[in-house]
């Protein structure tokens, strides 16, 4: 440890003012502070002791909360592959195939995001934002496994620059960065992120009747009746046993890498809530909003999709993943505690509205969160205005 | 009618090294000092004495030209040995070489029954001249109380919830009659109520229990329940145009002594506490005592930070510096100027955090005492985390937005978000829990200065 510290201290003058690599100071600083908590002490006036948590720790906790979803995603991507080609395979075979497919996407997202962060840090002379630790993991988890790597890189660069750096970096962004990456791909390369892209086939041919559609796509097209999927058509007979409530809750269905499993999202939610990093108010209210709206549409009726039981909305598609990891982004969400309830509830409501009334794209959580990101400041504005009004009421002058 | 107010939000920082309930005589230091820097209001100080001059305890040493009636007086009798100035001739200290036998400036003395017949003018005059007036702090802004004003209420907080806070039972033992006299005198200064706010979950301090002429209110909950700012917010909030005064029990007792005995008595009991103190306990000394006289030979190591006051709002001092005017605590904690390998992620049970992201299971051991150093535990970043400031501030105030309004210099927002109700100590916990490591108290003071000068 001491040798490492000495090595870093020896290099330091090169990066400091007047040094050879002065320009790259913040790259050095990023490495240094990653390895060692710095020796900075508190000021002579103000608090003399500080809480042990810093932004790095907070961001890392979110990454840890995503690991169950990532690991499950790796297995599931392998599992889906073998299902589609009609072969049997054991757990580890599936997992390693999934890992082989997923890890490059994770690495590309981190590399592209990290490079842009480093570039901005050097040019704009600000410390590297730890936010990319989370973004770099979120982006792969909301991508289909077949996504071309160059698209991952492009989307990451677009999102980090347009959704974050132009606003001033982590803490200043209006939109959720990872969702911006996904939305970018959705609008720029729709054929690679919707339709039958959710399962990796490789060179193998799928079995007869196979379709790579997601549960939501099937539901939108065919409708779901009663409590089980009663889908028609040759290919759906193959899938019917897989799209049960239990199956969708567990998550062994086609979909984005990390978002198919409600249970893994909930494990993440437990980690985020227990560690106090994610807002339970937002998570709970997204689910409540979606469920209540689902109930409403259920009662209203209309077509088969509208009639889908409300609780299906909670496990189908990326609702759980979005609620837990995307909606709770503290920067782009509402900042006030009351605002968080409204923000989450509206995300849930909008998600279901978009799902059931939008014929083009059955998943609604992405657009619902991005839309509410934009409205979050308005929600806060009203909550703050109410606080001001209370104070004004008792004023005498 | 005693009001009981239960506060849920807040956080107790449980530090190792609380003072034991024993009181010793500190070795009498040779020198004492009056530090005009203890007062936010003293910006144009005028020194009234010269080096070599002899003074008594209670002799005016300094006043501020903007508040020419408020005298800052000598805590002890002796000889003025140094008028210490800093950069740009800023007045730092007036140092007195103390006599072994104290001589007091004589002020009129009154019997208990006579106190009730005093006029406001008499009270004011004596308090201003003798040096006890600065004990009264005015809200908003936390400055000297303006003698030209009559506050709508005066608040006395009868307990302290800060980390390592001294026990008021020890500090004010046997001072009942002075406390009562102080209250009687203060009543002349306000047409409103004098609130005495005490802890709900423990027995009322003997010095306060029998106080007459005060409204007793009880507060329960974690820190900052003991802060007058929080108490005022729940009892009688400060609105635009309102003026409220606060005073510490020590100030009330000092005023009582001034009127009953006719002398400015700066003797006080001070707690020496903190993880680096061998035997944390209380010492008898005087206001403005040299820190060294209390700490010398009582520490376990020398790589420490001396703080006059508590670890949330106190001031870093050197051993050869002097105790602050308002302080009854010297905290000594380790200086944290060391690197820590992977300190930000390493699992450990020895770090304290309000956030559960560190020490997830710390709730299993709520009484654990921590040794905290002065390390920043990270670097300054933009605001990211939301909701934590609000959860440690038991007031209907949105601290994050108030701080942002200050940073944006938005006067209207500062006012409407409640800047009149807070001073540094009320937001100190926000600074402690801030994952982005901002200097919240300093930012708040900037805002208060902006409002005051607008």
């Amino acid at each position: 440890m001491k040798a490492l510290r000495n090595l870093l201290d020896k290099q330091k003058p090169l990066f400091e003012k007047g040094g050879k690599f002065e320009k790259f100071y913040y790259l050095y600083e990023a490495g240094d502070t990653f390895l060692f908590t710095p020796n900075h002490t508190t000021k002579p006036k103000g608090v003399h002791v500080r809480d042990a948590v810093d932004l790095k720790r907070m961001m890392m906790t979110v990454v840890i909360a995503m690991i169950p979803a990532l690991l499950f995603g790796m297995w599931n991507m392998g599992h889906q592959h073998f299902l589609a080609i009609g072969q049997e395979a054991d757990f580890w075979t599936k997992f390693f195939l999934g890992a082989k497919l997923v890890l490059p996407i994770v690495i590309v997202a981190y590399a592209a995001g990290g490079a842009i962060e480093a570039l901005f840090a050097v040019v704009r002379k600000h410390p590297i934002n730890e936010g990319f630790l989370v973004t770099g993991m979120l982006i792969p988890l909301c991508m289909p496994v077949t996504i071309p790597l160059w698209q991952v890189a492009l989307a990451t660069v677009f999102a980090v620059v347009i959704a974050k750096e132009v606003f001033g970096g982590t803490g200043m962004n209006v939109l959720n960065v990872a969702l911006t990456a996904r939305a970018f791909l959705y609008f720029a390369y729709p054929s690679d992120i919707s339709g039958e892209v959710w399962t990796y086939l490789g060179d193998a041919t799928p079995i007869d009747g196979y379709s790579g559609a997601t549960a939501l796509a099937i539901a939108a097209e065919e409708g779901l009746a009663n409590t089980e999927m009663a889908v028609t058509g040759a290919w759906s007979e193959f899938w019917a046993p897989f799209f049960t409530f239990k199956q969708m809750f567990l998550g062994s269905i086609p979909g984005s890498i990390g978002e198919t499993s409600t249970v893994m999202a909930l494990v993440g939610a437990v980690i985020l809530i227990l560690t106090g990093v994610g807002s339970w108010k937002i998570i709970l209210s997204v689910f409540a909003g979606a469920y209540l709206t689902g109930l409403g549409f259920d009662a209203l009726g209309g077509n088969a999709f509208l009639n889908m039981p409300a609780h299906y909305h909670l496990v189908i598609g990326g609702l759980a993943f979005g609620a837990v990891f995307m909606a709770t982004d503290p920067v782009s969400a509402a900042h006030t505690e009351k605002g968080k309830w409204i923000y989450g509830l509206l995300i849930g409501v909008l998600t279901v509205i978009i799902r059931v009334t939008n014929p083009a794209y059955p998943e609604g959580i992405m657009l619902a969160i991005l839309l509410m990101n934009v409205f979050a400041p308005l929600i806060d504005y009203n909550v703050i205005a109410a606080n001001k009004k209370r104070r004004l009421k008792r004023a005498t002058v | 009618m005693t009001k009981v107010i239960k506060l849920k939000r807040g956080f107790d920082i449980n530090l190792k090294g609380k003072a034991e309930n024993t009181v010793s005589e500190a070795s009498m230091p040779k020198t004492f000092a009056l530090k005009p820097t203890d007062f936010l209001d003293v910006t144009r100080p005028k020194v009234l004495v010269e080096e070599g001059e002899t003074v008594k305890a209670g002799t005016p040493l300094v006043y501020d030209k903007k508040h020419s009636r408020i005298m800052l007086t000598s805590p002890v009798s002796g000889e003025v040995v140094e008028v210490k100035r800093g950069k740009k001739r800023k007045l730092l200290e007036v140092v007195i070489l103390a006599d072994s036998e104290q001589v007091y400036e004589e002020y009129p003395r009154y019997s208990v029954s006579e106190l009730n017949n005093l006029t406001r003018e008499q009270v004011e005059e004596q308090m201003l001249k003798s040096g006890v007036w600065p004990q009264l702090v005015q809200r908003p802004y936390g400055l000297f109380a303006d003698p030209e004003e009559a506050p709508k209420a005066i608040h006395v907080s009868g307990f302290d919830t800060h980390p390592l806070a001294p026990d008021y039972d020890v500090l004010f033992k046997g001072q009942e009659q002075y406390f009562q006299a102080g209250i009687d005198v203060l009543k002349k200064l306000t047409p409103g109520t004098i609130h005495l706010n005490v802890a709900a979950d423990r027995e009322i301090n003997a010095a306060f229990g029998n106080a007459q002429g005060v409204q007793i209110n009880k507060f329960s909950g974690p820190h900052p329940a003991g802060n007058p700012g929080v108490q005022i917010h729940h009892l009688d909030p400060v609105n635009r145009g309102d003026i409220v005064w606060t005073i510490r029990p020590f100030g009330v007792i000092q005023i009582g002594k001034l009127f009953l005995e006719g002398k400015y008595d700066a003797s006080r009991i001070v707690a020496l506490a903190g993880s680096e103190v061998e035997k944390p306990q209380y010492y008898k000394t005087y206001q403005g005592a040299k820190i060294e006289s209390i700490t010398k030979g009582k520490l376990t190591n020398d790589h420490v930070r001396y703080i006059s006051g508590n670890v949330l709002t106190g001031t870093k001092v050197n051993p050869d510096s002097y105790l602050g005017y308002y302080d009854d605590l010297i905290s000594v904690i380790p200086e944290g100027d060391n690197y820590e390998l992977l300190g930000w992620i390493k699992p450990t049970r020895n770090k304290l955090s309000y956030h559960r992201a560190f020490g997830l299971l710390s709730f299993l051991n709520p009484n654990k005492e921590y040794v905290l150093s002065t390390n920043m535990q990270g670097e300054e970043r933009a605001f990211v985390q939301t909701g934590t400031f609000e959860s440690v501030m038991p007031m209907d105030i949105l601290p994050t937005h108030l701080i942002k309004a200050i940073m944006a210099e938005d006067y209207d927002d500062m006012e409407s978000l409640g800047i009149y109700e807070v001073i540094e100590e009320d937001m100190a916990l926000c600074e402690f829990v801030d994952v982005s490591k901002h200097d919240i108290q300093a930012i708040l003071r900037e805002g208060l200065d902006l409002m005051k000068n607008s």
Side-chain angles (χ1 to χ4, degrees):
Chain A
M1 183 194 132
K2 210 159 189 192
L4 186 61
R5 186 64 248 162
N6 288 342
L7 182 76
L8 282 165
D9 283 341
K10 228 169 148 186
Q11 309 304 323
K12 203 171 184 178
L14 291 175
F15 293 92
E16 279 174 337
K17 235 185 180 157
K20 212 166 151 189
F21 305 118
E22 185 189 328
K23 271 189 181 162
F24 302 104
Y25 174 73
Y26 283 108
L27 294 188
Y28 167 82
E29 194 236 12
D32 188 9
T33 58
F34 182 84
L35 285 169
F36 288 93
T37 299
N39 61 349
H40 304 165
T41 53
T42 48
K43 301 208 167 119
K45 187 92 185 104
V47 299
H48 298 272
V49 291
R50 290 277 191 163
D51 192 287
V53 170
D54 64 349
L55 202 58
K56 279 194 182 68
R57 172 99 188 182
M58 207 185 112
M59 293 292 182
M60 209 57 195
T61 310
V62 184
V63 175
I64 292 168
M66 280 188 280
I67 286 176
L70 175 77
L71 294 178
F72 181 85
M74 286 180 182
W75 171 81
N76 188 39
M77 291 303 115
H79 178 65
Q80 295 303 322
H81 170 78
F82 287 108
L83 267 184
I85 62 170
Q87 281 181 16
E88 291 283 316
D90 64 8
F91 175 84
W92 288 111
T93 315
K94 289 174 183 174
F95 183 80
F96 283 124
L97 175 71
K100 211 173 87 186
L101 297 169
V102 171
L103 284 179
I105 302 177
V106 176
I107 292 166
V108 167
Y110 268 118
I116 290 293
E117 275 297 344
L119 182 71
F120 270 84
V122 168
V123 174
R124 291 167 72 180
K125 297 188 174 55
H126 67 60
I128 291 196
N129 292 311
E130 283 87 0
F132 92 95
L133 289 174
V134 174
T135 317
M137 183 63 102
L138 269 176
I139 290 176
L141 290 184
C142 65
M143 295 283 160
V145 71
T146 58
I147 193 87
L149 291 179
W150 64 269
Q151 285 188 13
V152 176
L154 194 64
T156 308
V157 170
F158 176 87
V160 172
V161 174
I162 300 297
K164 191 166 84 176
E165 291 298 344
V166 292
F167 293 104
T170 303
M172 323 279 186
N173 47 308
V174 177
L175 297 176
N176 183 307
V177 185
L179 273 181
T180 307
R182 193 185 147 113
F184 168 77
L185 289 186
Y186 172 64
F187 289 110
Y189 305 99
S191 61
D192 288 313
I193 202 164
S194 55
E196 302 183 359
V197 297
W198 309 104
T199 309
Y200 168 76
L201 295 170
D203 298 328
T205 25
I207 54 163
D208 286 346
Y210 166 79
S211 154
T214 60
L216 261 179
I218 295 169
E221 205 164 301
E222 310 286 340
L224 291 156
N226 302 322
T227 52
E228 298 293 319
M229 288 275 182
V231 275
T232 54
W235 50 266
S236 47
E237 262 169 45
F238 169 78
W239 280 117
F242 296 102
F243 289 137
T244 60
F245 182 84
K246 186 181 159 198
Q247 208 67 359
M248 290 191 290
F249 180 70
L250 295 175
S252 51
I253 51 171
S256 295
I257 294 166
E259 70 179 23
T260 58
S261 172
T262 306
V263 72
M264 288 303 158
L266 290 180
V267 171
V270 169
I271 296 174
L272 288 182
I273 292 169
L274 279 184
T275 53
V277 173
S279 165
W280 61 272
K281 291 174 189 165
I282 294 179
I283 299 174
L284 191 70
S285 57
V286 173
F287 280 112
Y291 185 69
L292 293 176
T293 316
L295 275 186
F297 277 113
D298 215 11
L300 211 65
N303 61 37
F305 194 17
L306 289 175
N307 273 336
M308 183 168 82
H311 61 280
Y312 270 82
H313 277 295
L314 306 184
V315 294
I316 205 165
L319 184 102
F321 184 81
V324 174
F325 297 115
M326 301 287 196
T328 53
D329 166 15
V331 178
S332 57
H335 293 182
T336 52
E337 294 306 289
K338 277 184 197 131
K340 283 173 184 169
W341 285 112
I342 303 168
Y343 170 82
L345 205 71
L346 287 178
I347 287 178
V349 170
L350 275 175
T351 303
V352 174
I353 292 178
I354 295 172
R355 275 180 180 177
V356 300
T357 60
N358 167 24
Y361 188 60
E363 180 52 298
I365 184 88
M366 170 182 85
L367 293 174
I369 294 176
L370 285 174
L371 192 64
M372 289 316 297
N373 282 169
V374 179
F375 279 103
L378 183 66
I379 297 173
D380 282 339
Y381 176 84
N382 284 302
V383 174
I384 296 167
N387 178 283
K388 289 178 182 170
K389 213 170 152 192
R390 271 200 299 280
R391 189 162 290 103
L392 209 63
K393 239 185 214 165
R394 60 175 205 230
T396 46
V397 181
Chain B
M1 232 335 244
T2 304
K3 270 191 192 174
V4 180
I5 294 163
K6 287 183 185 159
L7 304 175
K8 282 196 182 136
R9 289 181 280 164
F11 185 54
D12 283 324
I13 299 175
N14 202 5
L15 293 188
K16 195 179 160 219
K18 286 184 190 69
E20 280 173 36
N21 285 1
T22 45
V23 185
S24 301
E25 294 278 346
S27 62
M28 182 74 173
K30 287 198 181 102
T31 52
F32 289 80
L34 174 78
K35 295 192 290 180
T37 47
D38 286 342
F39 311 95
L40 288 164
D41 255 8
V42 178
T43 49
R44 292 157 60 205
K46 172 92 182 141
V47 185
L48 293 165
V49 290
E50 281 175 16
E51 284 175 18
E53 216 172 294
T54 320
V55 292
K56 294 177 183 170
T59 306
L61 301 179
V62 176
Y63 71 89
D64 187 75
K65 284 177 189 161
K66 236 164 86 188
H67 313 274
S68 55
R69 295 173 69 200
I70 305 174
M71 294 298 154
L72 303 175
T73 59
S74 177
V76 289
S77 65
E79 184 193 340
V80 179
V81 283
E82 192 187 1
V83 177
K84 194 174 171 187
R85 290 180 184 274
K87 277 181 192 161
K88 295 186 182 169
R89 287 187 49 78
K90 182 180 178 176
L91 181 62
L92 298 179
E93 288 161 1
V94 179
V95 184
I96 316 285
L97 181 67
D99 295 335
S100 50
E101 215 38 57
Q102 288 297 300
V103 189
Y104 295 90
E105 200 73 59
E106 276 184 34
Y107 293 99
R109 59 170 80 181
Y110 303 91
S111 68
V112 174
S113 53
E114 281 170 338
L115 287 179
N116 291 325
N117 303 325
L118 289 174
T119 62
R120 175 173 171 135
E121 284 68 35
Q122 281 173 302
V123 165
E124 214 179 270
E125 171 88 17
Q126 187 157 338
M127 284 176 66
L128 286 163
K129 228 167 142 183
S130 61
V132 297
W133 187 271
Q135 293 286 357
L136 286 165
V137 176
Q138 179 170 310
R139 300 278 183 130
Y141 310 132
L143 305 170
F144 284 156
D146 184 350
E148 309 301 324
E149 300 276 357
K152 72 168 182 171
I154 297 178
H155 288 258
V156 185
S157 174
F159 65 117
D160 190 344
T161 47
H162 280 99
L164 302 174
D167 185 345
Y168 281 4
D169 288 347
V170 179
L171 253 45
F172 309 127
K173 200 174 169 187
Q175 309 281 323
E176 293 84 351
Q177 71 172 120
Y178 298 121
F179 187 80
Q180 183 59 52
I183 295 287
D184 292 342
V185 170
L186 288 174
K187 272 163 73 180
K188 306 284 171 196
L189 298 174
T190 174
T193 319
I194 297 181
H195 292 274
L196 174 60
N197 308 322
V198 296
D201 42 15
R202 50 188 292 188
E203 220 171 290
I204 300 181
N205 186 305
F208 311 145
N210 302 320
Q212 300 293 314
V214 291
Q215 158 83 44
I216 293 187
N217 312 291
K218 292 185 171 184
F219 284 82
S220 73
H223 181 67
N227 280 6
V230 174
Q231 296 162 355
I232 295 169
H233 178 86
H234 289 277
L235 294 168
D236 186 13
V238 184
N239 302 305
R240 182 181 174 172
D242 283 348
I243 284 177
V244 168
W245 290 352
T246 66
I247 183 165
R248 301 159 77 93
F250 175 79
V252 180
I253 290 165
Q254 206 182 24
I255 292 169
K257 272 187 191 159
L258 173 71
F259 281 84
L260 288 183
E261 295 179 355
K263 64 180 187 185
Y264 175 69
D265 185 353
S267 66
R268 57 168 48 173
I269 294 173
V270 171
L272 173 64
S275 58
E276 306 312 290
V277 181
E278 210 163 323
K279 235 181 95 195
Q281 61 163 78
Y282 295 84
Y283 294 94
K284 273 187 188 164
T285 184
Y286 289 84
Q287 169 194 310
K290 199 168 197 172
I291 300 288
E292 208 176 47
S293 69
I294 301 164
T295 61
K296 202 171 182 185
K298 301 187 181 89
L299 307 183
T300 50
N301 80 75
D302 56 0
H303 195 56
V304 295
R305 178 174 294 192
Y306 299 86
I307 300 157
S308 178
N310 63 68
V311 296
L312 289 182
T313 60
T315 311
K316 176 184 172 180
V317 288
N318 298 321
D320 59 356
S321 181
Y322 299 89
L323 187 66
Y325 181 87
Y326 297 102
D327 298 328
D328 40 29
L329 168 68
I330 298 169
S331 314
V332 188
I333 57 170
E335 194 67 86
D337 54 349
N338 56 309
Y339 289 94
E340 190 186 356
L341 184 68
L342 297 176
W344 60 282
I345 192 76
K346 206 166 68 181
T348 168
R349 288 194 301 171
N350 296 328
K351 288 191 177 181
L352 176 67
S353 175
Y354 171 74
H355 307 268
R356 292 186 306 274
F358 224 115
L360 187 58
L361 302 176
S362 56
F363 69 92
L364 294 175
N365 199 356
N367 296 323
K368 180 174 174 170
E369 294 183 331
Y370 290 85
V371 176
L372 296 192
S373 76
T374 60
N375 194 286
M376 283 292 284
Q377 309 289 347
E379 309 96 73
E380 192 174 314
R381 290 291 185 261
F383 283 112
V384 169
Q385 178 78 308
T386 60
T388 31
F389 286 8
E390 287 75 8
S391 64
V392 293
M393 200 160 163
M395 296 162 113
D396 185 20
I397 279 182
L398 299 167
T400 318
H401 300 92
L402 175 59
I403 289 295
K404 287 185 178 176
I406 294 171
M407 289 167 129
E409 299 194 3
D410 184 334
Y411 291 83
D412 288 346
D413 260 10
M414 282 191 255
E415 184 178 301
S416 51
L417 286 168
I419 197 165
Y420 296 136
E421 298 195 46
V422 285
I423 61 170
E424 285 94 328
E425 61 178 15
D426 301 314
M427 291 186 81
L429 264 184
C430 297
E431 186 169 313
F432 173 78
V433 300
D434 185 12
V435 296
S436 306
K437 314 288 173 189
H438 289 269
D439 295 323
I440 302 293
Q441 296 184 70
I443 297 170
L444 176 64
R445 181 45 66 185
E446 277 170 34
L448 289 167
D449 285 343
L450 285 174
M451 292 306 288
K452 186 179 62 154
N453 301 325
S454 68

